Amino acid sequence: SFMKKRPYVTLDPNVLRGVPCHTGTHIPLATTFDSLAAGVSVKTLLIAHPMLRVEAIQAAFAYAAELAS
């Protein structure tokens, strides 16, 4: 299943009403995508949100790609 392959993404109705977010945070994946689309670097994003890891951002993109296919 998706969640076994992507442990960095959480979809929980008790967390942000089920909005996909980075596991262990209340940071929606959309916030990450919006920041990166606005030109914020991954390095800056990781500094601003030290609980995130590069793998979490990669998993967010993998999740988005799966939804888009």
Side-chain angles (χ1 to χ4, degrees), residues 28-40:
L29 301 187
T31 299
T32 300
F33 297 139
D34 289 343
S35 295
L36 294 170
V40 175

Side-chain angles (χ1 to χ4, degrees), residues 8-56:
Y8 296 102
V9 176
T10 297
L11 293 107
D12 182 341
N14 297 314
V15 178
L16 297 178
R17 296 184 185 153
V19 170
C21 63
H22 295 283
T23 301
T25 76
H26 285 88
I27 303 170
L29 301 187
T31 299
T32 300
F33 297 139
D34 289 343
S35 295
L36 294 170
V40 175
S41 71
V42 171
K43 181 179 179 180
T44 299
L45 197 58
L46 294 173
I47 291 169
H49 302 285
M51 71 291 296
L52 287 182
R53 296 174 47 186
V54 171
E55 295 86 356

Side-chain angles (χ1 to χ4, degrees), residues 1-6 66:
S1 80
F2 172 81
M3 297 319 290
K4 288 182 181 176
K5 293 187 288 184
R6 312 246 193 282
E66 192 168 304

